[in-house]
């Protein structure tokens, strides 16, 4: 089945491989839990939903599985042939821990060399990120056994920061207080050597890459619905402009194992790219730029397969 669903050709400048020929399915996606802002993320200590927030009865939220073992059991039938990547939707810190535990168990049974992905990884916990980093290096221990190295990565819905940051800060408690809450914990990724990307979860938030970059660099959030309150949410998790640009270009391509085709401008790759009206790197605060204007940079021209679609009209 896996072979029939994979792309039927590889794009290159010397062949006619184009949409839809090279579309295919190479990954399995499972939901470990629900939505953080929707009161259905699976939380664990030190986190819980606040009893005086808009999820007063949610407590630790809920999972779509009963345990990490049940999650591993769901993946196991398709794990041994190593034909599939697995991508797990996990918002809460406990959901991410279950994902790590399930991956560890399966990797002990049979090593899978594909790039695996945790989608959202919203509620950060440093011990979980440390375990992800250890899995990547092959130093993680599960049940007194060292787990073979696994290429596990994360992707953040960075819109959590701008659109729901203040709401999440009020909804969630960490050690019983509304402070030091790590949302989209980029700094944990940095410290533990975890590659990360940003996504929109469209149609949840607009698919505007430069807006993702601005959110990641500034970490600004607003209190809805009047927008009178604004502040920086988790400044330690802010990125540089260069880090954020990588998170919307080459890193997503690597996560989906299509980086030999797209994600960067290199000889032999599919020439899909945009020409911008200004250099985003110049907007980095370290260079005296204003990162709050990153999303205002215009797209001057778009190229698909090395051609400007506008020129066909």
């Amino acid at each position: 089945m896996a072979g029939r669903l994979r792309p039927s050709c590889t794009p290159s400048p010397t062949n006619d491989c184009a949409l839809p020929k090279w579309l295919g399915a190479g990954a399995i996606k499972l939901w470990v839990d629900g939505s953080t802002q929707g009161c259905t993320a699976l939380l664990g200590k030190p986190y819980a939903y606040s009893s005086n927030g808009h999820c007063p009865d949610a407590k630790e939220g809920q999972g779509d599985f009963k345990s990490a073992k049940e999650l591993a059991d769901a993946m196991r039938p398709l794990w041994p042939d190593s034909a599939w990547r697995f991508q797990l939707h996990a918002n809460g810190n406990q959901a991410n821990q279950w994902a790590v535990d399930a991956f560890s168990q399966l990797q002990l049974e049979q090593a899978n060399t594909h790039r695996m992905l945790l989608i959202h990884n919203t509620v950060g916990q440093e011990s979980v990120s440390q375990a992800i980093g250890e899995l990547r290096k092959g130093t993680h221990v599960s049940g007194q056994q060292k787990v073979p190295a696994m290429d596990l990565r994360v992707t953040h819905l960075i819109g959590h920061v701008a659109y729901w940051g203040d709401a999440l800060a009020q909804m969630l408690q960490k050690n019983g207080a509304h402070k030091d809450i790590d949302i989209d914990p980029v700094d944990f990724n940095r410290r533990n050597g975890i590659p990360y990307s940003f996504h929109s979860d469209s149609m949840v938030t607009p698919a505007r890459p430069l807006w993702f970059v601005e959110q990641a660099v500034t970490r600004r959030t607003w209190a809805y619905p009047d927008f009178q309150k604004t502040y920086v949410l988790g400044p330690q998790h802010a990125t540089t402009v260069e880090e954020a640009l990588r998170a919307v270009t080459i890193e997503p391509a690597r996560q989906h194992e299509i980086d030999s085709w797209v994600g960067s401008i290199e000889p032999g790759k599919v020439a899909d790219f945009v020409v911008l009206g200004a250099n985003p790197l110049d907007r980095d605060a370290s260079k005296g730029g204003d990162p709050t204007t990153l999303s205002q940079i215009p797209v001057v021209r778009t190229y698909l397969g090395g051609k400007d679609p506008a020129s066909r009209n």
Side-chain angles (χ1 to χ4, degrees):
M1 180 174 68
R4 289 197 300 272
L5 290 175
R6 289 182 175 280
S8 58
C9 62
T10 299
S12 81
T14 59
N15 64 27
D16 64 348
C17 183
L19 293 174
K21 289 183 181 179
W22 59 272
L23 286 180
I28 303 294
K29 181 178 178 180
L30 291 87
W31 276 256
V32 187
D33 67 349
S35 161
T36 313
Q37 63 273 18
C39 313
T40 54
L42 180 63
L43 305 175
K45 292 182 179 179
Y47 287 99
Y49 280 109
S50 174
S51 60
N52 58 3
H54 81 257
C55 304
D57 302 318
K59 298 181 181 179
E60 289 80 34
Q62 61 193 67
D64 287 9
F65 293 87
K66 295 179 181 178
S67 64
K69 178 183 181 302
E70 189 176 275
L71 174 60
D73 289 344
M75 291 190 283
R76 186 172 284 107
L78 288 172
W79 189 271
D81 65 8
S82 296
W84 297 97
R85 291 175 285 116
F86 285 83
Q87 302 184 345
L88 303 184
H89 175 289
N91 270 296
N93 62 314
Q94 187 63 54
N96 281 273
Q97 183 63 61
W98 280 10
V100 168
D101 293 344
F103 275 141
S104 298
Q105 179 57 51
L106 293 170
Q107 193 74 342
L108 280 169
E109 296 171 13
Q110 181 170 325
N112 190 320
T113 59
H114 280 290
R115 295 167 187 166
M116 306 300 177
L117 186 62
L118 295 178
I119 301 171
H120 297 333
N121 188 239
T122 305
V123 182
Q125 185 171 351
E126 189 158 17
S127 61
V128 176
S129 294
Q130 182 178 346
I132 296 170
E134 291 171 351
L135 269 176
R136 291 182 52 77
K137 292 182 289 187
T139 60
H140 187 63
V141 175
S142 176
Q144 299 183 331
Q145 291 181 278
K146 185 176 289 188
V147 181
M150 166 183 280
D151 193 346
L152 181 57
R153 299 163 182 248
V154 303
T155 180
H156 299 294
L157 171 52
I158 197 63
H160 278 131
V161 174
Y163 298 111
W164 298 294
D166 183 68
L168 293 177
Q170 305 308 315
M171 290 165 58
L172 301 175
Q173 288 185 335
K174 182 180 179 182
N175 293 317
H178 295 285
K179 64 178 183 178
D180 301 327
I181 294 171
D182 295 295
I183 300 299
D184 295 321
V186 169
D187 189 48
F188 294 169
N189 298 333
R190 268 195 300 249
R191 285 194 265 151
N192 291 284
I194 305 168
Y196 61 91
S197 71
F198 299 134
H199 65 274
S200 70
D201 216 19
S202 182
M203 300 289 292
V204 176
T205 62
R208 296 176 55 205
L210 285 174
W211 175 224
F212 303 166
V213 171
E214 182 176 319
Q215 291 176 66
V217 173
T218 66
R219 298 284 299 195
R220 290 191 301 169
T221 189
W222 290 266
Y224 287 75
D226 57 15
F227 301 97
Q228 295 303 305
K229 178 183 177 183
T230 181
Y231 57 95
V232 175
L233 180 73
Q236 72 274 23
H237 297 300
T239 71
T240 65
V241 173
E242 182 176 354
E243 287 173 331
L245 288 172
R246 293 178 64 85
V248 297
T249 53
I250 189 62
E251 290 304 339
R254 286 173 176 163
Q255 289 171 353
H256 296 292
E257 297 182 350
I258 56 173
D259 50 300
S260 61
W261 301 348
V262 296
S264 59
I265 300 175
E266 300 178 59
K269 287 192 174 184
V270 178
D272 293 350
F273 61 94
V274 297
V275 178
L276 299 177
N279 186 350
L281 295 173
D282 292 339
R283 307 290 170 98
D284 201 299
S286 66
K287 297 182 178 180
D290 181 3
T292 66
T293 64
L294 279 160
S295 64
Q296 300 172 27
I297 296 175
V299 175
V300 176
R301 188 163 294 175
T302 300
Y303 286 87
L304 297 176
K307 299 178 181 179
D308 179 4
S311 65
R312 300 174 186 173
N313 299 325

